[in-house]
Amino acid sequence: MQLKLSDRIMKPDFQGEFTASILAAAASPDIISFAGGLPNPVSFPIPEMEAATKKVLEENGVTALQYSSTQGWPALRKWIAKRYETMGVYDVSADDIIVTNGSQQALAMIGAVMINPGDEVIVEDPTYLVALQSFHVFDPSVLTVTMNPDGIDCDELAEVVKNHPEAKFAYLIPNFQNPTGLSYTQEVHDRVVEIFKSSNVLLLEDNPYREIRFAGTATDSFGKELGEQCCMLGTFSKIITPGMRIGWICVRNKELKAKLLNYKSTADLHTNIFSQMVLAQYLADNDVDEHISKIKALYKAKSDFMVECLKKYLPEGCDLTPTEGGMFLWVTLPNGLSALQLYYKALEKGVAICPGDPFYEYKRDVSSFRVNYSNSTDEAIEKGVKILGEACKEMMEA
Ligand SMILES: Cc1ncc(COP(=O)(O)O)c(C=O)c1O
């Protein structure tokens, strides 16, 4: 049969295949993988979930197994709305929350509802590659703004926002950004607020890693100052489980909310109601902050150990972006060496990293790569980084 595929899926900038190949390499049992972004199973509260599941089925089984409403389970939306108080935002209500199939679905929904072919969208450079791919499905023109060690480059951002007032939105990850692990300082946060206040551009804040801070102080959410001009995306993937696929979008603009709900109802009717109810029960019966503190302690130890190994085994001249939380470190090779080349070389030796290329909209053959520390044993970290160091040295000597 001759397939009749859409132009959209055939575009060379739809980099899904590359991502899939990295994930496949990362999943192979023979590979030490620093390529993915898998949470450590320490964050999976299995006995507590078992108890929550039993309770939901006993007390509310018919609702849990029936079709449900598109917006999501009220108790869960209420919990999420209340959680915004820890981010300085006190005027979020359960009615502002749409529960999504991971925050990934929220990105796809925003793309579908907001982007016409050729519309401008603003992203950090580099940015989360699967967000780029989700937006690309709708054929936007992508404007990029450099990421600096203290967050997005505000001079560049101010220029882009001023010169492109019709841009549909700016997609920003202010805490432990994927891929760089960088966070916005308070100063950068305040400037970003000023830039957006005097514009008509929507700020799409994605914050999956904010809760995993093991040093320093977090800035408040942009939603505090920007109100309905800021849509806030969140997820339970990094603090409880990615397997339940529960994320959300907090949208306080009523018209946008209605359009997103319309779109979601055609995409999947609603997010898995059984998972939502079990998660809400788990959250009601357990101390989630105590649970998160366990994740933070483990990730800090893993991050410290990986930094130690990278400093010990990578050749002189490699630059390492320090991080105070999240799941990733960002390494830059000296002398313009190609991280993509290192990716292939290291893979031959049994170690997977995530080369920087797919995180950039335009740059290719970049020198930076991302490593993940959350789900590797200390032995694997030491062995894998040592091999990475050998591969780097071979490239530098070639
Ligand atoms: C920045 C960012 N946004 C969104 C997601 C999607 O997360 P999920 O769909 O599991 O909520 C990820 C996953 O790694 C991410 O790093």
Side-chain angles (χ1 to χ4, degrees), residues 102-104 128 171 173 178 206 208-209 235 237-238 245:
S103 50
Q104 196 60 49
Y128 172 47
Y171 170 68
I173 312 165
N178 187 356
D206 193 6
Y209 306 101
T235 181
S237 289
K238 316 296 174 180
R245 305 305 301 128

Side-chain angles (χ1 to χ4, degrees), residues 15-34:
Q15 295 190 45
E17 258 173 56
F18 187 60
T19 315
S21 78
I22 289 176
L23 288 175
S28 160
D30 306 324
I31 301 279
I32 295 178
S33 177
F34 306 135

Side-chain angles (χ1 to χ4, degrees), residues 235-246:
T235 181
F236 290 98
S237 289
K238 316 296 174 180
I239 54 167
I240 298 178
T241 159
M244 285 177 115
R245 305 305 301 128
I246 298 187

